[in-house]
Amino acid sequence: MRKQLFAISFTLLLISLGFNYFLKTGFVFSTIMVILIIVGYYNTIQKKHTILRNFPVLGYFRYLFEMIAPEIQQYFIERTTDGKPFSRNQRSLVYQRAKNIDATSPFGTQLVLNQSSYEGIKHSMFPASVNHELPRVLVGGPDCAQPYSASLLNISAMSFGSLSENAIVALNKGAQKGNFYHNTGEGGLTEFHQNGADITWQIGTGYFGCRNSEGGFDADKFAEKANLPAVKMIEIKLSQGAKPGHGGVLPAQKNTEQIAKIRGVEPHTTILSPPSHSAFQNARELVEFIAHLRELSNGKPIGFKLCIGETSEFEDLCNEMIHHNCYPDFITVDGAEGGTGAAPLEFADGVGMPFEPALIFVNKTLVRLGIRDKIRVICSGKIISGYSILRAIALGADMCNSARGFMFSLGCIQALRCNNNECPTGVATQNKMLMKGLVVTDKSERVYHFHKNTLHAANELLAAAGKNSFGEVDINIFMRGDEFAHLSDAYFPDNLTNVTKH
């Protein structure tokens, strides 16, 4: 290909010079050919890229198509029911509800319902009245002095750094208007989180915001922020679904001077939070740390977030709670399919328990040990619709958090560029130019409407099932496609036999 390149390019160069000499067309085309020859020659001698070495000019098309592959996939190949992690139909549902416009769909479902993977709600012939008041859940166990009335749906953990300052402010202002809480993520409580909304302050292994000079936990700094009126709950992050056992990752290009100052780290370096906490090393010490944080915060709800891995460790932790008679006020369960801005592929694809079995396991373990009534279970896992809320409650959750759902409400288009600071919608970037495209006043309204309309949809589904409160929801209101197969096996043979007799 290299020989052909030079033969063709020199031929075209001579032709362009001929055109210029006889037709006076100028040297534009000739100049372009000279540049291509120089680039082509350089690529034939460079040793870093094999494709460019073998295809000195055409090889650039490979990198171009690779760069825009997600857009090609999303806009030209995917059907409306395809797309990972969220299909176009799912994303469109969030966009419509966030814009407060009609979120109906025409001409029937596009899903194949008569198959074993189908899931649906058993509606009642006598539906209940739809409750137009949005549901709330009281969080606070026996040792909590300041229980908190939380919305059924809230903003899951997303740090300033992972998201832009405009995104954080828009989320916070939307949460204030809708009266639901905003989880800070492990990046710490910043000024952008303090625009009027209730806050759940997440404490990760880096202890950002309550960190001493050695990177450990600082009780005085924690107490100062934990007692702010906006902080309603404190969440200890043990692990998250997308990268359990790994610790948080903030790429260097997102670690600006401003973020580094907030977190107390070196700017423009990749920040890797430790995989484990230094303030505790085992189940007993975690229970003691929970009690310590409750004391420092003057009795505010304290909980922890985790992705389930080794199930015996969670059972041991529950037994330590019982032994010390000290319980978290809530447990947030994340599934292995959870989202993040940056995760090693091996962790994202191959570590941790998925959302559904994890939630079932946590709920049943707490019930079996007789402590379920002392602890609220919060779930975090692809919650974007009223249906997903009811399903989570049926599996054992008391309330739900959503991260990517609220990102969609901000305008996220699933461009899959959260980890390289090039988010085109200004949501997951620290690029000032891209960030300016996200208008806080408009997007905060969309955050508010998405929350309100999604919970209203959950209320409508609840009424369709003939239930009056979310406390009545259990797994019995759901049906699965394998039940249809059983019905077919049970009844169709007899019917076919009767037909042949006639």
Side-chain angles (χ1 to χ4, degrees), residues 353-373:
M353 186 181 292
F355 168 74
E356 179 178 321
L359 186 54
I360 293 172
F361 166 74
V362 167
N363 181 60
K364 290 200 169 186
T365 300
L366 297 178
V367 171
R368 175 170 56 82
L369 295 176
I371 57 175
R372 181 64 178 85
D373 61 324

Side-chain angles (χ1 to χ4, degrees), residues 225-358:
K225 290 187 176 180
N227 285 287
L228 291 172
V231 176
K232 303 300 183 183
M233 304 199 300
I234 293 98
E235 179 179 80
I236 306 164
K237 176 188 168 185
L238 302 180
S239 59
Q240 70 180 95
K243 46 193 173 187
H246 186 274
V249 179
L250 183 67
Q253 58 266 40
K254 284 189 171 186
N255 183 21
T256 63
E257 299 275 353
Q258 179 187 36
I259 291 167
K261 183 177 180 181
I262 290 171
R263 297 194 181 194
V265 295
E266 283 294 316
H268 312 300
T269 59
T270 297
I271 303 303
L272 299 172
S273 300
S276 60
H277 282 262
S278 59
F280 53 87
Q281 281 77 45
N282 53 50
R284 176 183 59 80
E285 291 179 0
L286 171 56
V287 172
E288 292 172 350
F289 189 64
I290 290 171
H292 185 43
L293 296 191
R294 185 176 285 128
E295 180 182 359
L296 291 172
S297 64
N298 289 307
K300 289 186 177 181
I302 310 293
F304 59 83
K305 175 182 179 177
L306 82 167
C307 174
I308 295 295
E310 176 54 64
T311 54
S312 63
E313 292 182 342
F314 182 77
E315 292 171 331
D316 292 342
L317 175 57
C318 292
N319 287 323
E320 285 292 338
M321 297 175 196
I322 295 170
H323 177 73
H324 289 84
N325 193 30
C326 177
Y327 305 93
D329 298 288
F330 64 93
I331 297 174
T332 304
V333 181
D334 202 2
E337 61 272 55
T340 183
L345 188 63
E346 297 92 340
F347 279 81
D349 286 353
V351 182
M353 186 181 292
F355 168 74
E356 179 178 321

Side-chain angles (χ1 to χ4, degrees), residues 5-16:
L5 166 72
F6 291 120
I8 293 171
S9 59
F10 276 115
T11 301
L12 291 175
L13 177 60
L14 291 174
I15 292 172
S16 68

Side-chain angles (χ1 to χ4, degrees), residues 114 481-496:
N114 196 20
D482 49 13
E483 298 177 43
F484 308 156
H486 175 70
L487 287 171
S488 297
D489 292 340
Y491 293 107
F492 270 86
D494 292 338
N495 291 342
L496 291 174

